[in-house]
Amino acid sequence: MRAFLTFISRGKVIMVKRLLVVVLISLLLLPFPATAAQPLWFDNAKIGVSGDVFRDEYGREIVLRGFNVSGEAKLAELRGLPFANMTDARASAAALRKMSGANAVRFLVTWAWIEPEPKRIDQAYLAAVTEQITAFTDQGIRVYLDFHQDLYSRYLFNRDSWYTGDGAPEWLVRAGGYPRESCGLCFHWGQNMKNNQAVTSAVYDFWHNRELQTTAGPIRIRDEFLFQAGETLRYLKQHLSPAAFNLLLGVDPLNEPYAGRYDAGQSGPTWERDLVWPFYQQFRQRMDESGWADKAAFVEPLVFWNQNVEFFAEPGGFTEVPRLGRRYVFNSHFYDGKAQSGVLKPGKANDGEYTADFSRIRDRATSLGSPAIVSEFGHPIAGFTSDKAPSVLKAMYQALDSRVNGTDWWTKARESGRALSGSQWHWDIYYNRHHELMNDNPNKVKTDGDAMNDEHFSAVRLDNATPVLNVDSRLIDRVFPRAVAGDTLAFTYEDRAVVAWNKIPDTMPAVRALVGTGQYAVLAWRSNGSKAPTEVHLPASFRPESTTVVSDLGPVSGLPAYTGKEPVAVAPEPGEPGVNRVILSSSDTGAVHFALLSNGPRPPSTDAALAELTAWAARFQ
């Protein structure tokens, strides 16, 4: 200090000031760690049901795409929590955003861990669930909760069984006194739903609200499920921050409902009407009482209603149920059972393979007056049918994007319709790293795959603590319309994975030349004058500086940063840095707009391509 004062006293004050300025500038230029992107003013908009679409408070049509956050949730290893700790939860959420561009997840919880003893709610479990949900909402990812079950409960199964389940707590199963389980010669775990008497009896008792004698006195099964669900929802409402709770979309009351067995004269549609629909109405009441009145119930029909394997297929799909209306979402699953069998469909999926299946889901939702979501879909990424996975996933996402196959899309774009929301099964960073004692048997430790009934579905795994993909990134990090300021008229995306199905017609040579061998997407929409813009997710394979957008709003090669003034621009998405979206702004009402996005070679001019697209888009006027 004395030396410093001497330095000052010698008239060196100016030199000190200059030194301080240099130090300050140097500090400012240091490479600070990247921080999450700050949300734009429309990113936290409330999302709800409007007719047969999701819309936000600005009237924009919303498409939800992402994964099931299951991981450990179906296992006992971490007592039903998806993650061992918040470090893993945050790493998983960040990887999900970075590697897939997901804007929504289905987050699993399990009755067995919520209520481990009759009438006792495990507050520690709910606290951990609450905290792990925030790992995703902190990324700007929307969440819908799923009360999950498979084969009713793991506690129905013997220690040496070939299969296991998840769902109901041990005390409930023991009070039920169910017969010893056996599926016989079942080649897939799902056959237990029809062949295993212990499973079918327990499920039947659930729907008929059987009264059981427990240490807490007589308890009716279905009533008790509603009790624990209400307590869970109330806890989350009270303990999530308002900002995090705002990003919760709603609840899936029960995963994959089925009857167990029907009463005399009963069928799938009448079972849905007489037992499932009243249950959903009761669940809806619990949501309202718990502070979730403005959130949707994502209700599932009979799980077999759209199975493509004759053995499993049963009529259903809420054909005997009244219109669901604005407080419900028609929530269906779809798996290609024929492809998974390896026998019923020996080849790979083709162009348009699932457009009819997914159009059926769309049509049921429209007839019920609610939006649709495919909350589970996918295919094994390992095993004897895994060679089909790339083509199956490509075809399933194609069917989510459009009603029309790739070959016919340009000529039949008027039939394309809206993009469909969906959550792929699934996202498990612990894939191939589990340590699950199957049915509590220390001699059956499951470590491979998903550690659940020999399944291999996870799109992600850890490689030396770093998340890496098990699938081609082009299949899951896709262009999709996150928000449309009006109504989608047509959408398609050619990801160039496996094979190119969507071929630009010879009548559009300039568009074909512009795209080249690159990936491309086309969106057409009718504007509703929303003050918030249309947003399209930009995959990592589309670098903003080399992306071309040809739109009636203005053709651009190399996207400028969004400041609120540009009709076509790029902006970061909420959460993990490096995830981008194209912003398409217009303030008119009723006008038809279009945009083609391409990461093909940067063209010297877009004039000819714009003229071709303008002529093509005239069909929507």
Side-chain angles (χ1 to χ4, degrees):
M1 176 63 73
R2 181 178 300 171
F4 179 72
L5 291 176
T6 302
F7 186 55
I8 295 293
S9 68
R10 291 176 181 175
K12 302 298 184 181
V13 175
I14 294 176
M15 293 294 293
V16 171
K17 287 182 177 178
R18 288 176 180 172
L19 180 61
L20 291 173
V21 170
V22 170
V23 171
L24 180 59
I25 292 174
S26 299
L27 289 172
L28 291 173
L29 292 177
L30 285 175
F32 286 99
T35 56
Q38 292 300 310
L40 297 173
W41 58 271
F42 42 78
D43 285 338
N44 295 319
K46 290 184 179 296
I47 294 176
V49 170
S50 177
D52 60 351
V53 296
F54 294 104
R55 289 198 189 274
D56 69 8
E57 61 189 90
Y58 302 110
R60 297 185 302 171
E61 184 183 296
I62 301 298
V63 177
L64 306 169
R65 292 285 177 89
F67 285 82
N68 283 265
V69 175
S70 44
E72 295 277 357
K74 293 172 65 170
L75 307 178
E77 182 180 350
L78 298 178
R79 297 186 60 79
L81 290 171
F83 304 104
N85 49 57
M86 276 301 288
T87 299
D88 285 1
R90 292 192 185 99
S92 181
L96 184 77
R97 285 291 292 124
K98 188 79 170 181
M99 302 166 80
S100 76
N103 65 345
V105 295
R106 181 174 181 246
F107 192 100
L108 277 60
V109 294
T110 310
W111 184 7
W113 310 111
I114 296 169
E115 190 180 9
E117 297 174 15
K119 296 299 180 184
R120 183 180 74 79
I121 301 299
D122 190 335
Q123 303 285 315
Y125 173 79
L126 293 184
V129 165
T130 303
E131 188 177 31
Q132 292 186 11
I133 285 174
T134 64
F136 293 86
T137 57
D138 285 349
Q139 288 283 340
I141 297 173
R142 310 277 174 163
V143 175
Y144 61 111
L145 207 64
D146 165 42
F147 284 87
H148 207 81
Q149 70 80 34
D150 287 301
L151 308 182
Y152 193 72
S153 174
R154 68 193 305 271
Y155 299 107
L156 284 173
F157 291 84
N158 308 313
R159 286 162 63 91
D160 296 318
S161 178
W162 291 1
Y163 303 107
T164 190
D166 70 305
E170 183 176 18
W171 60 265
L172 192 86
V173 171
R174 300 295 173 245
Y178 297 109
R180 182 176 177 82
E181 64 87 14
S182 174
C183 193
L185 293 177
C186 293
F187 297 100
H188 187 274
W189 68 265
Q191 291 176 261
N192 284 273
M193 288 187 261
K194 295 191 175 186
N195 292 7
N196 192 324
Q197 188 179 355
V199 174
T200 58
S201 297
V203 172
Y204 180 89
D205 285 353
F206 176 88
W207 293 112
H208 289 78
N209 207 17
R210 177 188 170 192
E211 184 175 278
L212 301 176
Q213 298 302 316
T214 74
T215 56
I219 283 177
R220 291 192 175 274
I221 300 173
R222 201 169 79 177
D223 291 347
E224 195 65 14
F225 179 90
L226 291 167
F227 161 73
Q228 62 85 32
E231 292 300 300
T232 299
L233 299 180
R234 186 173 293 107
Y235 186 97
L236 290 172
K237 171 63 176 176
Q238 293 173 351
H239 291 85
L240 284 169
S241 70
F245 187 72
N246 181 56
L247 294 182
L248 266 61
L249 296 161
V251 193
D252 183 341
L254 185 68
N255 178 68
E256 295 184 349
Y258 56 99
R261 62 177 182 270
Y262 293 123
D263 292 320
Q266 197 174 54
S267 64
T270 57
W271 172 78
E272 289 177 332
R273 180 194 66 199
D274 298 339
L275 290 172
V276 182
W277 179 236
F279 165 73
Y280 286 151
Q281 291 177 299
Q282 291 175 315
F283 195 98
R284 176 74 263 181
Q285 183 178 352
R286 296 284 178 152
M287 290 177 65
D288 296 348
E289 294 168 351
S290 304
W292 293 60
D294 62 343
K295 311 289 185 183
F298 288 64
V299 295
E300 299 187 38
L302 172 66
V303 66
F304 307 122
W305 83 280
N306 62 341
Q307 291 287 321
N308 68 348
V309 178
E310 186 176 351
F311 171 80
F312 282 103
E314 294 179 17
F318 294 151
T319 53
E320 296 290 325
V321 169
R323 285 171 63 86
L324 300 179
R326 66 179 183 83
R327 289 160 57 76
Y328 297 89
V329 174
F330 182 69
N331 172 12
S332 184
H333 296 179
F334 181 80
Y335 293 97
D336 187 345
K338 292 181 178 179
Q340 289 190 39
S341 74
V343 177
L344 300 176
K345 182 186 291 182
K348 296 179 172 61
N350 298 308
D351 179 20
E353 185 82 39
Y354 305 115
T355 53
D357 297 296
F358 283 46
S359 290
R360 187 182 181 200
I361 295 172
R362 288 178 166 94
D363 291 341
R364 285 304 308 139
T366 298
S367 68
L368 291 164
S370 74
I373 191 168
V374 186
S375 64
E376 285 190 28
F377 64 94
H379 190 84
I381 51 88
F384 73 103
T385 68
S386 59
D387 62 310
K388 303 177 191 293
S391 64
V392 168
L393 287 174
K394 179 183 176 79
M396 287 183 173
Y397 275 107
Q398 179 194 55
L400 285 173
D401 290 344
S402 172
R403 289 175 175 265
V404 181
N405 63 25
T407 302
D408 299 327
W409 190 85
W410 288 93
T411 56
K412 295 183 178 180
R414 285 175 61 90
E415 302 172 21
S416 180
R418 299 184 176 99
L420 189 59
S421 295
S423 305
Q424 184 177 331
W425 187 270
H426 66 140
W427 190 265
D428 174 16
I429 61 171
Y430 303 117
Y431 177 83
N432 266 349
R433 293 189 174 205
H434 293 286
H435 192 271
E436 173 74 358
L437 276 61
M438 185 174 176
N439 300 317
D440 296 325
N441 187 341
N443 296 318
K444 295 188 73 173
V445 179
K446 308 298 290 185
T447 60
D448 64 320
D450 302 338
M452 180 78 172
N453 292 326
D454 295 321
E455 291 197 327
H456 293 262
F457 279 84
S458 180
V460 70
R461 71 181 190 279
L462 291 178
D463 184 2
N464 293 324
T466 300
V468 297
L469 291 178
N470 290 327
V471 297
D472 187 335
S473 63
R474 294 174 296 178
L475 293 168
I476 64 168
D477 189 11
R478 308 176 60 81
V479 176
F480 72 94
R482 290 167 47 94
V484 176
D487 297 288
T488 298
L489 302 174
F491 176 70
T492 191
Y493 177 50
E494 178 49 68
D495 53 40
R496 301 286 187 186
V498 187
V499 64
W501 287 336
N502 193 318
K503 294 183 172 61
I504 299 168
D506 294 338
T507 55
M508 305 177 76
V511 173
R512 178 179 283 185
L514 183 148
V515 169
T517 59
Q519 299 165 294
Y520 73 91
V522 182
L523 172 67
W525 74 101
R526 190 180 304 278
S527 174
N528 65 356
S530 171
K531 67 178 182 177
T534 291
E535 304 176 45
V536 180
H537 171 65
L538 201 62
S541 57
F542 284 69
R543 293 182 302 168
E545 66 273 15
S546 58
T547 294
T548 297
V549 176
V550 182
S551 171
D552 66 296
L553 300 175
V556 177
S557 291
L559 298 172
Y562 177 69
T563 66
K565 300 176 181 178
E566 305 79 10
V568 180
V570 67
E573 292 186 4
E576 190 70 6
V579 184
N580 295 304
R581 54 190 152 175
V582 173
I583 302 290
L584 302 163
S585 302
S586 64
S587 58
D588 48 15
T589 301
V592 172
H593 297 296
F594 64 85
L596 177 143
L597 288 69
S598 173
N599 63 0
R602 188 164 179 171
S605 172
T606 57
D607 293 347
L610 178 58
E612 290 175 357
L613 288 167
T614 300
W616 170 83
R619 70 190 63 204
F620 299 111
Q621 298 294 340

